Amino acid sequence: MSTRSNRTRMLVAAALTAATLTMTACNNGEDGNNEGAAPAGSASTASTKPSASPSKANGGTSAGAGQTVSAGSGSGSEGSTGGSTGGAAGSSGTTGSKGSSDSASGTSGTKGSNGSNDDSASAHSRCSVESTRTTATEVSRPLNHLLLTVTNTGAGNCDLVGYPAVRFDEAQSVPPAIEDSKPQAVVTLAPGESGYASVLLSSADGSGSGGSTVKSLAVYFDLEASAAAQPSLPAKGVHIDDSLRVSYWQSTMADALTW
């Protein structure tokens, strides 16, 4: 009984040992599988990392692109700001141009040019003997008056300034002007137009003194004129006395004969 028991125990022990070895082998296999899985996990992780790395790279690229775009936007913004500045400068240039216009090329160049044209058109010379025709006519009304008529025969405008200086025969002086007859503006004659002045020869009531009859007349268009027109007088001559006066040049015959 003891021998059989020993064998049984030995068999049991052997079985236990075999079982233990089998379990150990299984455990080792599992551990090996686990270890094998671990590298697989590592490989998987490794494959994930590259995938993540591009993601980071993409993120970096994306961020870089964002920065680049952002920088580009900034540059674009600056560019547009510069453009605005350029536009403002252009506006200033345009204004300057306009100002050059207002000085010369613009509202001011054209104006200056027009002003010059206007000035040149209004720059009249004084009427001269060479470009006019002068007549002296004795009128019935008012009494004792002589009407002087100066007609512009030239190609341009001319001015009759002030009043005529008249000299009868060999007189040493010229008669004074009737100051109340002074017009508000200088009389300008266009080609073909006439200006007028009257000469009071003598008093109507005979109160004048130093009367005489004269037969020649020299008419200076103003006190500064160096040459005189010499219109004809009636053949019998005209009677003058110390009442002798002249009116300022007038633009109409009626205005001249008022005095």
Side-chain angles (χ1 to χ4, degrees), residues 72-87:
S73 298
S75 297
S77 178
E78 290 176 0
S80 59
T81 303
S84 298
T85 305

Side-chain angles (χ1 to χ4, degrees), residues 141-155:
R141 295 286 182 216
L143 293 175
N144 303 335
H145 275 69
L146 193 68
L147 177 68
L148 301 178
T149 303
V150 176
T151 303
N152 182 3
T153 58

Side-chain angles (χ1 to χ4, degrees), residues 1 4 13 28 123 129 142 153 222 252:
M1 288 292 294
R4 183 177 291 177
N28 287 339
V129 174
T153 58
D222 57 67
T252 69

Side-chain angles (χ1 to χ4, degrees), residues 64-258:
Q67 291 174 357
T68 303
V69 170
S70 193
S73 298
S75 297
S77 178
E78 290 176 0
S80 59
T81 303
S84 298
T85 305
S91 295
S92 298
T94 303
T95 302
S97 176
K98 189 176 179 181
S100 357
S101 281
D102 291 330
S103 355
S105 28
T107 315
S108 244
T110 302
K111 288 182 179 180
S113 174
N114 289 338
S116 297
N117 291 336
D118 291 341
D119 289 343
S120 118
S122 64
H124 310 145
S125 59
R126 294 193 180 201
C127 294
S128 66
V129 174
E130 293 77 16
S131 61
T132 57
R133 180 181 67 254
T134 304
T135 61
T137 306
E138 190 175 16
V139 296
S140 58
R141 295 286 182 216
L143 293 175
N144 303 335
H145 275 69
L146 193 68
L147 177 68
L148 301 178
T149 303
V150 176
T151 303
N152 182 3
T153 58
N157 294 352
C158 72
D159 294 335
L160 287 172
V161 181
Y163 58 90
V166 297
R167 194 184 301 273
F168 288 95
D169 284 351
E170 301 299 324
Q172 299 299 308
S173 62
V174 297
I178 302 170
E179 290 300 325
D180 288 345
S181 68
K182 186 175 183 178
Q184 295 182 348
V186 170
V187 175
T188 298
L189 302 181
E193 289 185 342
S194 299
Y196 308 89
S198 64
V199 181
L200 172 61
L201 297 171
S202 60
S203 62
D205 57 5
S207 60
S209 61
S212 65
T213 299
V214 293
K215 295 187 176 183
S216 66
L217 172 65
V219 179
Y220 297 85
F221 293 155
D222 57 67
L223 296 177
E224 298 179 3
S226 58
Q230 295 180 327
S232 300
L233 292 177
K236 64 180 180 61
V238 293
H239 178 77
I240 62 172
D241 63 21
D242 58 5
S243 301
L244 192 61
R245 299 285 187 277
V246 297
S247 75
Y248 278 79
W249 290 112
Q250 309 291 330
S251 58
T252 69
M253 184 186 302
D255 288 341
L257 292 177
T258 299

